Amino acid sequence: MILASAFSAANLHYLMAGLGITIAVSIISILISFIFGTIFGIILFEEIPYFTKTVRLVVNTIRNLPLLLLIFFTYFALPKLGIQLNAFNATVVAMSVFESTMVAQIIFGGLASIGVGQIEGSISTGMNKMQTLWYIVLPQALKNSIPPLISQFISLVKDTSLATAIVLTDVMFRSQVIYGQNPNYMIPMFALVTALYFVVNYSLSLLSKWFERKLEV
């Protein structure tokens, strides 16, 4: 009886709408952080005078801060500076900034793993430094970085739940609303939310394996 009422059509519809918000925040943050993280990773690898040191300082600082602190800063502090963001946009900005630094380190590691001999060999064939990076080094680095990138993006999906602190109406927040109406719904909601997060993250794992197979062809 409790399960039937907990999983009523209205509750499930309400929860699925929250899952849509979780997925939307995750996808947007993944895309933004991948783009900027790759750029930052390349800058770290190339050792550009002065510029690389600045980027390294920013990356090392942000990646060692709590993500929740960044979420609070974007939602509560930025309005004091004249930048007003709703819960959705504040979460995307905070997660994109934080994850970009994580991706930067992963991409840098992937680039650094490529043998110096390959770089020297490509340059000796007449390629310039940029061509060597674009055609030889970066494709291999991205392939090597797929497993840690997927692990990081899975963490990103799970970390969206932190945004309940600023009342982002994601799947976790909505489950709290549902069992707040009836404490007996708590365990069913926890079980369902656990299953939903598993499905989303397992799908990411399958996607990473598909990418790896494509790159091996």
Side-chain angles (χ1 to χ4, degrees):
M1 185 66 179
I2 292 177
L3 286 177
S5 57
F7 298 147
S8 66
N11 284 347
L12 291 177
H13 182 270
Y14 181 70
L15 203 62
M16 290 303 105
L19 180 63
I21 293 174
T22 296
I23 292 174
V25 167
S26 300
I27 290 175
I28 297 171
S29 299
I30 285 172
L31 291 175
I32 294 174
S33 63
F34 179 73
I35 293 170
F36 283 96
T38 300
I39 294 171
F40 295 153
I42 292 172
I43 292 172
L44 294 176
F45 177 73
E46 287 297 321
E47 290 291 345
I48 304 170
Y50 304 109
F51 195 42
T52 293
K53 288 184 178 180
T54 302
V55 171
R56 182 177 289 117
L57 176 62
V58 172
V59 167
N60 288 335
T61 300
I62 293 177
R63 67 191 291 264
N64 285 292
L65 296 176
L67 175 55
L68 187 59
L69 175 63
L70 294 178
I71 292 174
F72 280 165
F73 179 82
T74 56
Y75 189 69
F76 294 113
L78 285 185
K80 304 294 183 182
L81 302 175
I83 304 173
Q84 190 76 39
L85 298 174
N86 58 30
F88 183 94
N89 291 331
T91 303
V92 168
V93 169
M95 299 199 72
S96 296
V97 169
F98 183 79
E99 294 299 328
S100 291
T101 64
M102 297 299 187
V103 172
Q105 286 298 118
I106 293 172
I107 296 298
F108 170 74
L111 291 168
S113 69
I114 306 303
V116 177
Q118 292 192 51
I119 299 174
E120 293 175 345
S122 61
I123 291 177
S124 68
T125 62
M127 286 186 174
N128 59 37
K129 197 171 183 180
M130 183 58 67
Q131 289 173 325
T132 299
L133 174 66
W134 187 256
Y135 294 109
I136 305 297
V137 180
L138 189 57
Q140 295 183 73
L142 289 175
K143 180 181 177 181
N144 294 340
S145 300
I146 287 177
L149 280 175
I150 295 300
S151 296
Q152 188 60 46
F153 291 148
I154 287 173
S155 295
L156 183 154
V157 174
K158 293 184 289 187
D159 287 343
T160 58
S161 61
L162 293 173
T164 57
I166 59 171
V167 199
L168 176 71
T169 56
D170 66 340
V171 65
M172 181 62 72
F173 178 85
R174 294 183 182 226
S175 70
Q176 294 173 350
V177 171
I178 292 172
Y179 68 69
Q181 299 171 357
N182 187 335
N184 292 324
Y185 294 169
M186 182 178 292
I187 293 178
M189 284 299 107
F190 280 166
L192 181 55
V193 169
T194 298
L196 293 174
Y197 274 115
F198 173 79
V199 168
V200 172
N201 290 327
Y202 186 65
S203 298
L204 272 177
S205 299
L206 294 178
L207 183 62
S208 73
K209 293 178 181 178
W210 180 81
F211 271 122
E212 287 182 277
R213 288 197 300 269
K214 284 290 184 181
L215 290 173
E216 289 173 357
V217 175

